[in-house]
Every structure is written in structure tokens, then in C-alpha cells.
Amino acid sequence: MANAAMKIPTAAPSPKARPGLTLGQAQEFTIISALKPGGAKRMRELFREGFDEERRKHTDRIGTVHDLRFVIFDNDSRVIFASTFDGTWETYIDDFGTRIPDEIDLLFHECEGYPGIHSPDVKDWIVSRQVTATAFYSAYPDASVRDVWKALKTKKALDALLDQA
Amino acid sequence: MLKTYAPALELSDIQATVLRPRPSPYLGEYVVLRIDDAAQGREMLRRIIPHVAPADEWWVPSLPGWLGIAFTFEGLKALGVPQVSLDSFPIEFRQGMAARAAILHDFGANAPANWEYPFGTADVHIALAIYAQGEQNLQRVLELARKTHYDLPHISVAYRMQFGALPEGRNPFGFKDGLHNPVVEGSSPAGQVSNEAPIKAGEFVMGYPDQLGETAQTPIPEELRHNGTFMAFRKFHMDVAAFRKYLRAQASSPEEEELIAAKMVGRWRSGAPLVLAPDHDDPALGTDPNRNNDFTYADDMTGLKCPFSAHIRRVNPRDALKDDIVDVDSHHFLRRGTNYGPPLPDGVLEDDGAERGGVFLLIGAHQRQQFEFVQSQWVTDGNFISHGTEQDPLIGNNAGDGVFTIPKRPVRRRLHGLPRFVTVRGGEYCFMPGLRALRWLAGLDGHAEQTAPR
């Protein structure tokens, strides 16, 4: 077999660029997917109560999601899922699969071709449906969700202290 | 007898370095080899295989010491591993640790440009870890290793470094070390008990189900993958004088110095965990292996005993993050640590210029979820504990501007101006195959196996 050692380049290839714009530690994340037949109706039914207490609790536990929204468009044939969150989704996607698989599947199971959170193809599906924003603004790109929660808690405590003074 | 689990771990085919703690006390050497000819590389492998220790021989070793062997991606290429196989390895391994610097927060003094040669270059092909219980035995194993390539001109030694235990099993900072490792399901030698829930073997060795119930399907072929794993090699310099000086500057008494040091680590110097001994060191607890890991953070969710930011609470959160989304059990790795260099004599506050520190082999089958996750999310960030960008006080990449938060009533204490106590001197991702896989690698050219020359 050929001696390959001398031909080895010293510089490794750079990590493949992923979709989505980053600002500070915030990342914008937009998925556009076709819906299954009748999917729009079922999704509206599912979200009739919006992010109710139970769903809110699970999303809060993630601790890195600033906001998220579903927009059904194109005569009920497609959906936009848009979010802003801290860090990169790939870091925690496997944890989601272990800890809140049903919640994740519930969000996406009306999307055409969604393979399920436990599928080894789920990351490729996300990337294939992800569309990078043309422009992305954040008022506080360096503040994480946890930073904001903590700041609000501190402000409340400080206000209480000042009110007593 | 081993406890029976299904499927049983094939201990005779898994390298001892993966599953077994090093001997204690210990002495040894890391050796890096470069291969400039694939045929000679495979010949060297054929000769060295009989000396590679399997996990089942560990407590009655037939060797004077033991030898572990691992390969970088460049090393597999140099051995002539087929491209289709090379392409099936995980991305972080193919890129190499230096290329992952942005993810690993290896900036500034820790940047690959500042690493020791040959780390981070294409000259690191094979890494040998050689352990022995004494100098004479070490020399015997080193001689065995040398004989596997002394007459092969295209195999060269790119790097050697000695390591050895410090008095009382302490690390250079003066803490009892190597205290905790996850329990690998089905791997414990007879009679060993643990209070901790075992972690599925597939997290640490390919060929078995992992925490998700999945068995690795790559890299290919199966003969190469089975009973193999990955190792993140990290060499650290430890600035003991800087650590002592920092403690001195922050404290008003020797007792307070010890308390701050313990708060940073999460344990007292004896090994006694803060959760069980919040106010004073308890050497009897520290040295008792049945008790010094028998704790959770359930009674310390305020961090008043052990700070959220303490080193051991970060790298092994146990139950501390149970209300969060993170699946802690998929972020464990096995840690085989060794120290090098002379101890800095007690009481000395000025650096003597000596090279001292630790080398860690961080072993796991999913390095992106294990070493890389822990390093990027838990060691060099603080967001997961609502601490903003605060890093690990001991091993974080602080540059004189680090902060460390100590929960306290009525108000928390925050230390400022933390320097870099630990500097990365080098790192590599390696593949650590099983013994049959080593023979597969050695037989790539189709020649029959040869026996080692005596």
C-alpha cells in the first residue's frame, strides 16, 4: 500500500458551515416545511390553547429559547417555525431526544418528511429545512435567556429592598 | 466472577487503559510515534500487539507493566487504512483536536499555536501510554516497546514524556486526585461495589448499547470498530505558584485560603467533598473510597456548601441539573489522569520555572457529546448554571479576568481577577481499538501475522 504519510496536509478542513445567523450568543433559527395533508387543521387544534402551562414548562426547562412561533401559510400547505435561542441547537439536540422526545415530536410531526426525534436522520432533516435569515437583529445579543431571567429576579429583589427602605 | 449483564463486555478484547484505573502508585511514559511507511507501521503493530494489556488481565498482569495504544486520524492514514473506512470516522476525530479549538475554547495561551511539538501537527500518529509500578519495570516495558521498531527506519519517536505519582496521590495543586469515574455497566472486577447507577457500556466502548439503546454503526468495518473507543488526550501545565498566590491574596488567614481552595474544587485537599464536609476538611472521609463519592447535590440546591461553579460540580453535575433539559448521563467520560514534574515545595509562592502538571486521557465513544460537550458547556461557560460567561475556576481558560461566584448568605461572595491556573500544552483525538481490531490494522497488507522478535 502506498506511503501516505508524507502527503498529509497539516491544516484540517474547517467545520462545515451550518445555516442560521449568529449575533453575540444568540442564534436565529427558521425552518420552512411542507405540511402533511390536513396537517394545518390538526396543528391549529393542537395549539388552540397556545403554549399552555404544560407546554410552557417544558420549553422553559430548555432554558435557552428566547421565543418561538409557528406560522401556517400558503393556503395551509406550509409552516414556518421561527425561533431565537442561545448557543447552537446541535449541542442539545440529543438531550432533547432523551428528555423531551414527545414534546419535540409533537411540534413537528405534521411536517412532511419529519423522521422523528429518535431518528439518526433528524439533524439532516432540520438542516435541510432550515433557511438562513437575510438579516437578524437582537436588542440584547449578549444576554442569554438565563441572564434575562436572573436579571429580572435580581431587579425584583432589589425593588423589594428599596421599597422597604 | 463478574456480575452477569447482557451483553457481556468482552474484557479480553478491550484495552485495559479504557476500563481500568492505572496502578497506584504509578510511573510511566507517553510515547508518540510517527510512521513514514505503512508496511513498517503494520510490522511494528504486529510486534507490539502481544504487549498491549487487555482489561481482563489487569489485576494479574502477565507483564511488568502495561501498555495502551491509540491512533490519530493521521496515524490511521499513515497505516494505509482504506479511504471508505477513514471517511466513516466521526468529524471531530477526522479534523483533530487543534481544528476544534473554537468549540473547545482553546484560545490565547491555550491556542494550538502555543502547544508543544508535535501536538496539533500531522506528525502525531501513534500514542503509547506505558504504566508500571516501578522504575525497573518501566524500563523493561519501554525496552519491549523500543524493540518493536528499532530496526524499522521509517518509524520515528516524535515525543516522549515521563509521568509519575506525587506523594500521597495528590495532584500538583495538592488535592487528592483521580477520585471519581463513572461506573461502566458490566465492567467491574469481582467484589467491587458502587453506590452509583452504572452507565451503559456503549457510552464508553463501541459494540454495546449506549444510554439511548443504540449500538455504534460507524466507523466501518465492524472488525475495526468493535471493542474500540475514542480518547481525548490533554496535556496541562499547572501553575501552582499562581494558585497559591491567588489564594493568599483573597484570604485573610490560612484557614480561609483552604476554604477558598476547597470552594474552587468542590473538595478539600484530602478529597472530602464539600457537600459532606462544608466547613472543615475531614481527612478520614477524604481517604474513604466508600464515602468520598457517596453524595448528591439534592441537599445543596442553593450551592451554599458546594458552589455551582466549583470544578467537580461542573464536570460531573450528578443530580444538580435534574430540573434542566440536559441528559447528564450522556455526557460522561472515563478519566485516566497522570501527573508529571516535581512538586512545588510547600509554602513556595514563586514559580520555579519547572514544568509540572497533568496529562488526561478522556475516554468515550461519543466525544462530541462527552469531552467536547463538557469542555464547551460546563468548563468554559457558565450559562448552564445561570452564571453568564463564568468559567471553571480551576481549569477554565481565564486570563486574569476570571470571576468565581461563591453562594453565601446574606450575599454571595464573588472573586475577581482569576488567572489561568491550568494551560493546555497539547491535545489530540485518538482512536483506541480493541485487540482484534489491532490485528486487523496490522494485517491490512494481507501478510500473515508474525511473532514478536525476542
Side-chain angles (χ1 to χ4, degrees):
Chain A
M1 212 165 287
N3 172 7
M6 304 313 287
K7 298 173 205 147
I8 292 166
T10 46
S14 61
K16 202 163 70 182
R18 287 296 208 187
L21 296 182
T22 299
L23 197 62
Q25 48 73 57
Q27 185 164 44
E28 63 84 17
F29 181 80
T30 309
I31 283 180
I32 302 180
S33 170
L35 286 169
K36 291 174 183 167
K41 188 163 173 271
R42 290 191 296 273
M43 261 189 103
R44 284 201 185 90
E45 184 61 24
L46 177 70
F47 286 116
R48 204 169 29 153
E49 307 292 328
F51 269 71
D52 58 21
E53 191 136 339
E54 186 67 12
R55 200 162 292 150
R56 196 186 166 84
K57 205 176 74 193
H58 287 302
T59 314
D60 277 356
R61 269 175 77 206
I62 297 176
T64 54
V65 179
H66 289 261
D67 55 61
L68 57 85
R69 80 198 60 181
F70 289 88
V71 181
I72 296 170
F73 70 113
D74 218 359
N75 282 329
D76 280 4
S77 66
R78 295 201 283 166
V79 65
I80 293 178
F81 170 85
S83 175
T84 303
F85 58 82
D86 304 319
T88 64
W89 60 264
E90 282 176 290
T91 310
Y92 282 96
I93 188 80
D94 292 325
D95 297 71
F96 295 169
T98 313
R99 303 271 291 185
I100 49 166
D102 297 345
E103 286 78 3
I104 301 289
D105 280 347
L106 200 63
L107 298 181
F108 292 112
H109 82 290
E110 295 299 348
C111 291
E112 201 72 75
Y114 174 68
I117 190 71
H118 288 309
S119 164
D121 300 328
V122 71
K123 291 173 199 177
D124 289 341
W125 182 84
I126 291 172
V127 170
S128 74
R129 299 298 190 276
Q130 202 180 339
V131 183
T132 302
T134 309
F136 172 42
Y137 167 80
S138 167
Y140 43 86
D142 293 323
S144 70
V145 170
R146 289 178 192 275
D147 289 340
V148 173
W149 282 344
K150 197 171 176 179
L152 292 173
K153 205 171 132 189
T154 307
K155 181 185 177 296
K156 200 172 158 189
L158 186 64
D159 278 343
L161 192 72
L162 294 177
D163 289 347
Q164 283 166 22
Chain B
M1 294 297 287
L2 290 164
K3 266 184 151 178
T4 47
Y5 290 98
L9 280 184
E10 212 178 335
L11 298 177
S12 60
D13 197 51
I14 301 167
Q15 290 196 43
T17 311
V18 177
L19 292 177
R20 304 301 174 213
R22 48 162 166 66
S24 185
Y26 62 93
L27 193 66
E29 201 166 305
Y30 296 108
V31 178
V32 172
L33 300 174
R34 194 180 111 155
I35 304 161
D36 288 316
D37 178 84
Q40 291 197 1
R42 293 193 292 270
E43 174 60 23
M44 188 283 269
L45 268 188
R46 282 192 283 272
R47 295 177 186 178
I48 210 165
I49 287 167
H51 308 303
V52 176
D56 65 342
E57 273 232 338
W58 161 72
W59 49 94
V60 276
S62 57
L63 304 165
W66 102 42
L67 190 151
I69 185 167
F71 304 82
T72 64
F73 186 61
E74 301 300 336
L76 294 183
K77 275 203 258 181
L79 281 168
V81 169
Q83 193 63 41
V84 61
S85 172
L86 291 173
D87 291 344
S88 70
F89 275 82
I91 182 78
E92 69 281 5
F93 175 73
R94 284 183 281 138
Q95 291 182 334
M97 193 181 282
R100 309 285 284 182
I103 292 166
L104 300 175
H105 219 84
D106 282 342
F107 305 126
N110 289 354
N114 297 316
W115 290 358
E116 275 175 37
Y117 178 82
F119 299 115
T121 75
D123 292 343
V124 181
H125 292 172
I126 294 185
L128 301 178
I130 296 162
Y131 305 82
Q133 267 174 330
E135 182 64 36
Q136 232 183 341
N137 282 337
L138 176 62
Q139 292 310 321
R140 282 179 60 197
V141 188
L142 283 170
E143 183 58 15
L144 288 173
R146 195 187 69 84
K147 276 189 178 161
T148 63
H149 63 84
Y150 73 111
D151 58 345
L152 303 173
H154 294 293
I155 309 292
S156 49
V157 176
Y159 183 79
R160 289 177 68 167
M161 72 163 283
Q162 279 227 359
F163 58 82
L166 293 174
E168 299 173 60
R170 303 294 172 109
N171 71 13
F173 290 122
F175 288 80
K176 185 110 165 63
D177 73 355
L179 285 175
H180 184 267
N181 259 310
V183 178
V184 184
E185 189 176 272
S187 76
S188 296
Q192 206 163 299
V193 289
S194 172
N195 304 315
E196 281 182 58
I199 305 296
K200 296 287 177 194
E203 292 291 319
F204 310 106
V205 186
M206 293 186 281
Y208 307 89
D210 63 17
Q211 288 292 119
L212 295 176
E214 287 165 13
T215 302
Q217 300 300 312
T218 56
I220 55 168
E222 206 262 345
E223 295 94 308
L224 179 60
R225 170 178 80 238
H226 194 67
N227 289 328
T229 188
F230 293 94
M231 165 188 99
F233 174 102
R234 297 281 275 183
K235 179 179 180 183
F236 296 118
H237 173 260
M238 298 181 184
D239 191 342
V240 178
F243 185 64
R244 290 178 186 171
K245 269 196 278 201
Y246 186 79
L247 294 175
R248 182 67 51 93
Q250 302 297 323
S252 52
S253 69
E255 292 73 28
E256 195 187 358
E257 280 183 42
E258 288 307 289
L259 179 64
I260 293 173
K263 290 282 189 186
M264 285 189 188
V265 173
R267 292 182 188 271
W268 299 90
R269 289 183 196 269
S270 73
L274 276 179
V275 167
L276 300 180
D279 302 318
H280 304 282
D281 197 356
D282 180 348
L285 169 64
T287 51
D288 183 346
N290 292 322
R291 290 197 293 143
N292 64 19
N293 271 310
D294 191 11
F295 68 95
T296 70
Y297 294 106
D299 292 336
D300 190 34
M301 293 311 271
T302 54
L304 287 168
K305 294 174 186 168
C306 180
F308 303 110
S309 199
H311 172 64
I312 69 160
R313 189 165 175 158
R314 282 174 170 266
V315 297
N316 180 24
R318 298 171 188 246
D319 58 339
L321 306 178
K322 66 179 166 51
D323 295 331
D324 297 350
I325 208 68
V326 66
D327 176 35
V328 169
D329 283 345
S330 65
H331 304 297
H332 293 295
F333 45 72
L334 295 162
R335 191 172 45 112
R336 306 290 171 218
T338 50
N339 296 309
Y340 67 92
L344 186 66
D346 282 345
V348 173
L349 265 68
E350 290 308 316
D351 187 31
D352 60 358
E355 278 295 314
R356 62 171 61 83
V359 171
F360 291 84
L361 312 183
L362 310 169
I363 297 169
H366 315 127
Q367 289 291 350
R368 274 202 309 285
Q369 284 295 301
Q370 296 167 330
F371 166 66
E372 289 200 338
F373 181 98
V374 171
Q375 174 71 13
S376 65
Q377 304 301 309
W378 293 348
V379 170
T380 58
D381 198 2
N383 194 52
F384 77 111
I385 44 172
S386 299
H387 279 34
T389 55
E390 181 172 324
Q391 301 189 42
D392 185 305
L394 193 67
I395 67 166
N397 193 0
N398 292 308
D401 55 357
V403 294
F404 174 52
T405 306
I406 305 174
K408 210 176 159 187
R409 293 227 164 97
V411 288
R412 51 110 177 114
R413 178 171 184 190
R414 183 168 285 167
L415 306 183
H416 292 269
L418 267 80
R420 188 184 291 104
F421 297 124
V422 168
T423 305
V424 181
R425 286 282 196 257
E428 292 290 340
Y429 286 132
C430 300
F431 171 59
M432 192 171 253
L435 272 70
R436 275 198 306 275
L438 282 171
R439 287 193 281 274
W440 184 88
L441 281 168
L444 284 174
D445 55 0
H447 291 303
E449 284 184 26
Q450 295 167 20
T451 50
R454 299 292 160 192

